[in-house]
Amino acid sequence: MRVTPSKANERERPAMSEHGTHGQDGTTGPGTGGGSADPATEAFVAHRNLLFTVAYELLGSAADAEDALQETWLRWTGVDLTEVRDRRAYLVRITTRQALSRLRTLGRRKESYVGEWLPEPLLTAPDVAEDVELADSVSMAMMLVMETLTPTERAVFVLREVFDLGYDEIAEAVDKSQAAVRQTAHRARAHVAARRPRGVVSRAESRDALDAFQRAVNTGDIQGLLDILAPDVVLLGDGGGIKQAVLRPVTGADKVARLLLGGLVKLPVAVSMDPAQVNGHPALLIRLDGELDTVMAVRFDDGRISGLYAVRNPEKLTRMERETTLHR
């Protein structure tokens, strides 16, 4: 079946506004009403995008991140602000604790998850890609690397390496001594360094490689696919037991190329692919008969595609029609 490009969706207002937000269920969060806000609300709204980013990096789920922020808000309203020296650090500490609690629960849910579990993809604004460190930390590849850390290691790594918090602040957030936090940070850095993508790939190179991938799929050019895929490329699929997806990793350029081309040819519907910025990096949105079906994120190593992450679980695609603001 011939795959044709479709018209890109018009961007909608960011889901996480610093001036207040509407929840996914239509409820109104702090700071959305008119008039002047009290100091607690002003502080929460001012740092909300940051808090969401912290929670999302720890949880890999926007829905769980929103729940963590709701719990943060409830606790924040009971704090005596006259006793708070640094409101930003205090809010990050509350959010981290809430996210850690949810991360342990999420770990138990993953044990019964059908097939591979992938982080929830987010449609992100261009400014996320411009912040290289932030974009790297929220990339699908890096978030999967962080999945291999323990909850405490993940929290320490994110707070130190991404948000540059001091060891004293991190120690309070994770209820550990500073010495223990330093050891954990060293262990987490070494673990991530051994598994993170090799070589630096510019945004232009990423777009070019993804364009070549898309052309090869569009035309059924298996050799073109083999030229852009690394020999040991791995394809992961996440259908969550709701949509059909590979239940185990598919490894090897030939297997991956034939699976991709064979699967698209057999579809009895119109298929379209649109480039998009997902988690700060170029990705493809695959639509069937105009409806979003799959978000395809990629990992690059040494200039070739070494990882393909196909998220099909519809419960993880609810935020893909509007940009989400991420902030450090």
Side-chain angles (χ1 to χ4, degrees), residues 56-70:
Y56 173 70
E57 290 215 26
L58 291 179
L59 295 166
S61 162
D64 285 299
E66 292 284 8
D67 287 343
L69 259 64
Q70 183 65 26

Side-chain angles (χ1 to χ4, degrees), residues 268-301:
V269 296
V271 182
S272 64
M273 287 185 174
D274 299 312
Q277 284 286 324
V278 174
N279 289 49
H281 292 269
L284 292 173
L285 307 185
I286 302 176
R287 291 185 170 87
L288 306 183
D289 280 341
E291 295 293 328
L292 180 63
D293 177 82
T294 304
V295 173
M296 182 75 77
V298 299
R299 165 176 171 156
F300 293 96
D301 279 300

